Every structure is written in structure tokens, then in C-alpha cells.
Amino acid sequence: NYGSPPDPFLINGNDNKIISTIVNNNKSMLEPSVDNDFDILRDARLFNSSYSDAIVLSVGGSEMEPFFHSGDYVGGRLVDVSEPDLFVGKDCIVVLTNSLQLLRRPFKTIDDTFNLSCLNPKLIEPVIYNAKIAKIAPVIWHRKNLRT
């Protein structure tokens, strides 16, 4: 017996319909499996509840391929933006001052601003220059969605 399933964990408002579909249509939700969407959400919720400063992000798009793919989940613990040695050059969950959340690798510039880089070399605009960072968390947890 695996107990009762956890409440759905919402990464953002757009995921509500997806999570409801998974919960309502998945007949084998309580069976353990390595690629079940329900298991991924359960793991994300567990990570998020394990730390008071945790943040979890559902990866969207191909900007961070080949290491992170759309449908993967990443988690990190928030660090102080004023301490760049904790996050510069590392893959991070970044929350900009306009509330946009994304996965990028930050670099510090000569004038003490930050540029956010993608890893995918196929992108035309791979860098966000002079990013205004509100919150940042280096990735310490990565859950691959094996279906994508």
C-alpha cells in the first residue's frame, strides 16, 4: 500500500488543467513507475516542501537543451542575489523583477549586471542582457520526464 496521493502541486497557473487531467484520467496513479507524470509531480512537491527556501520550475522550451528538456522539472534553494559567487556560471532558476521565471546560466558583466545564457547553440537569441534578477536558485534537483 502506497498511501493516499498528495495534493496536486502547481508550478504555475497554466499547469492546473494538465494536473487535473493526469489525476482524473490515470487509472494506475498509485502504482510506482519511473516515468509517470504523477510521480514527477509528487517528487517536485516533496522537494519543494523539504526546504523553506525551495523553488521548483517546470522546464518549457528547448533553451537549455541538451541537458534540460521541455517537461523536465528542476528545483533549487534560493540564494542572495548580492552573492554572485553562489550562482554565477551555474544552471539556475531565475525569477526576474517582472515575475518571469526561467532556467538559465547567469554571468556577471564588467558593470556588475547579469546576462542570462541558454545552453542550446541552435537558438538565434541565446542571451538575455542586463537581466533584472529578483530571485535566483542554483539547480540542485533535476527530474527528467522520460516521456519527452
Side-chain angles (χ1 to χ4, degrees):
N1 185 336
Y2 296 103
S4 60
D7 297 328
F9 174 69
L10 300 180
I11 300 303
N12 64 47
N14 298 332
D15 292 328
N16 193 23
K17 186 175 181 181
I18 296 169
I19 292 169
S20 294
T21 302
I22 292 168
V23 171
N24 293 328
N25 295 339
N26 193 338
K27 304 277 190 252
S28 61
M29 241 174 32
L30 298 179
E31 297 173 13
S33 65
V34 295
D35 62 347
N36 185 312
D37 291 335
F38 183 78
D39 291 340
I40 294 171
L41 295 173
R42 181 199 59 221
D43 293 349
R45 186 163 196 258
L46 177 64
F47 178 87
N48 197 49
S49 65
S50 297
Y51 307 99
S52 61
D53 56 355
I55 185 170
V56 175
L57 179 75
S58 174
V59 177
S62 63
E63 294 86 2
M64 295 297 281
E65 289 181 0
F67 301 105
F68 302 96
H69 300 274
S70 184
D72 291 357
Y73 283 72
V74 292
R77 296 179 70 184
L78 295 169
V79 297
D80 193 333
V81 177
S82 67
E83 296 186 45
D85 291 343
L86 297 175
F87 61 84
V88 166
K90 299 176 183 175
D91 299 328
C92 293
I93 299 167
V94 181
V95 180
L96 300 179
T97 55
N98 66 1
S99 299
L100 180 65
Q101 298 179 18
L102 30 95
L103 178 63
R104 294 289 188 277
R105 188 173 289 174
F107 292 96
K108 192 172 181 181
T109 65
I110 282 180
D111 59 354
D112 289 330
T113 61
F114 296 99
N115 295 337
L116 304 178
S117 178
C118 296
L119 299 180
N120 190 339
K122 297 176 184 175
L123 295 177
I124 296 170
E125 298 279 339
V127 178
I128 298 172
Y129 296 97
N130 300 314
K132 305 225 183 308
I133 300 173
K135 298 177 187 177
I136 194 159
V139 172
I140 60 171
W141 176 80
H142 179 196
R143 181 65 152 84
K144 288 196 160 295
N145 185 338
L146 301 178
R147 293 181 187 182
T148 57

